[in-house]
Amino acid sequence: KRNGTQVKFILGTWPDMTLDDVQIKAANYRKLIGEGIDPRDYEADLRKQEENKRAEDIRSSVTLRTLLDVYQKSRESFNRGNAPRTMKDREKTISLVYEEWMDKPIQHLTKTVLTNKFYEWTSQRGAREQAKKAVRYLRSILNYGINVHEYMEKNPCDIFKGQIDTGTTLARETLTTDETDEFLEWIGRLLDPQAKAFFTRPPYNLKVSEFTGAREYMFFAIILMLLTGLRRREILQLEWANVFLEKEEYQKFKAEGPYFWILTSKQKEPFGIPITQNMWPIFRALKNIKINKYVFPSPRAGEKGEAPLDNERGCYKVMEKVMPVDSLVYTKRYTAQLLRKTFATTAFTIGMSISEVEIMTGHRMVPSGAKVAIDAYVQRLADAHRQNFERVNEALLNQVDIPDEVYEEIMAAEDSPLDAFPE
């Protein structure tokens, strides 16, 4: 009896249990009851122990290779971190650094193992950046295993917190407002009409060929990459038919101000960008030297007749030759990605959210909601973000004050907002 009420138990069913099995089980139940233990609680504890054992067996059988594969597939589902280049780099890095652990249970990846492996790669192999990247990837993979599948209780990568800076100096390279100011100042000097006569003499000794018409277009492209945060291809392939610079052009579509639109290079979606007060003189200068349908035309299109510039890299080489060693930006490695990340970081430092910055840089598209004419759609996009682009441009051109500690805080963050803006 339990609380004065007789309790009945079903011991089993035939033929699953024999009569002998039932008698043994009944005797065990009487013993438990005599000890004040409810047989039902006893059975529940047994089931729990069996479940825990099965779970432990599963956890102990999950290898790093298996978890990596599951994680890679999950990135496609979440539509995050699934760019082909990222997926390939993640698999290659993990397989290389943790080669001897790939087919062992992830429980074998202890803090001691990971610390020893990190120092092996940083000291013996001299590949510090590779080791740091491997830790970042592994931390995310194990966190996924813990949070989604409960394969582990704690992430052994936590040993690196506060002990080793696993951030990558390459991925987080960007320009501060002071560096941006000087960067643009040097571009202005090289665009000056007297630049050829000045920089072809000592101590600069540039070649006359380094002041071709193509260079001028390249410098203007660099400035717009910085002020828009767009990708190289998106800027260089811009056509005048998609630029609405004059009042009669943009008012035709009831826009608040000048704008242009592109097809994003990744999503192939139309995207409208406002032409800010700081962009407008650049477009005006480019329109004055217009030679064909491209805003940044190639002077050597050959048989194609009309073609855009292939790249802007020639300008970076010229800048590296003329800038003094003590320049703020002398040691920076100039790329279109540096300019894109500088735009994104500057937007973030002045208080914009990651989602806002992603939309402004064409990294994440805003659904149109309905099938509307492209002209109306891109005009609405441009006007919706006009104020934000104006604010970022003012910050980039050092027209507003951003304390140095704001940049330092972002750069020191474990999960840098810069990581969200791949090329």
Side-chain angles (χ1 to χ4, degrees), residues 93-110:
T93 301
I94 292 295
S95 300
L96 179 64
V97 176
Y98 303 108
E99 181 181 6
E100 68 267 43
W101 302 95
M102 292 299 294
D103 295 311
K104 295 180 181 179
I106 55 176
Q107 278 76 11
H108 290 193
L109 292 169
T110 63

Side-chain angles (χ1 to χ4, degrees), residues 100-269:
E100 68 267 43
W101 302 95
M102 292 299 294
D103 295 311
K104 295 180 181 179
I106 55 176
Q107 278 76 11
H108 290 193
L109 292 169
T110 63
K111 294 179 180 180
T112 301
V113 166
L114 296 184
T115 303
N116 291 340
K117 179 58 64 176
F118 183 87
Y119 283 117
E120 175 192 337
W121 276 79
T122 55
S123 58
Q124 298 177 23
R125 304 186 186 222
R128 185 174 182 82
E129 288 299 328
Q130 186 82 336
K132 289 161 65 175
K133 181 166 63 172
V135 171
R136 288 197 309 277
Y137 280 148
L138 184 63
R139 177 188 287 124
S140 298
I141 293 168
L142 294 181
N143 275 338
Y144 171 80
I146 293 169
N147 298 328
V148 178
H149 297 288
E150 298 183 349
Y151 289 151
M152 306 173 77
E153 293 184 1
K154 292 185 179 180
N155 194 326
C157 289
D158 290 345
I159 187 64
F160 296 109
K161 288 185 178 180
Q163 302 294 325
I164 300 170
D165 177 17
T166 57
T168 169
T169 56
L170 297 178
R172 299 185 181 186
E173 188 178 61
T174 185
L175 299 174
T176 65
T177 49
D178 286 341
E179 290 170 336
T180 302
D181 197 38
E182 184 169 350
F183 180 78
L184 291 173
E185 186 178 333
W186 277 102
I187 291 179
R189 291 170 185 170
L190 289 163
L191 280 171
D192 189 283
Q194 305 301 319
K196 184 186 295 185
F198 180 76
F199 286 108
T200 52
R201 296 181 302 185
Y204 303 106
N205 299 316
L206 292 182
K207 299 176 182 178
V208 174
S209 60
E210 291 178 299
F211 287 92
T212 62
R215 279 304 144 76
E216 188 173 12
Y217 286 119
M218 286 183 190
F219 278 125
F220 283 132
I222 287 173
I223 297 173
L224 285 180
M225 286 180 202
L226 179 65
L227 296 181
T228 62
L230 296 179
R231 300 175 176 90
R232 173 195 292 119
R233 193 184 317 163
E234 294 166 344
I235 285 290
L236 295 186
Q237 293 183 351
L238 181 61
E239 298 184 16
W240 281 111
N242 300 330
V243 178
F244 304 91
L245 188 64
E246 311 299 341
K247 193 171 184 179
E248 59 270 19
E249 294 174 335
Y250 63 77
Q251 283 193 338
K252 177 181 177 182
F253 300 105
K254 296 182 172 55
E256 297 174 1
Y259 68 98
F260 67 95
W261 71 271
I262 61 166
L263 279 178
T264 57
S265 58
K266 297 229 173 160
Q267 300 92 344
K268 303 301 179 186
E269 294 284 341

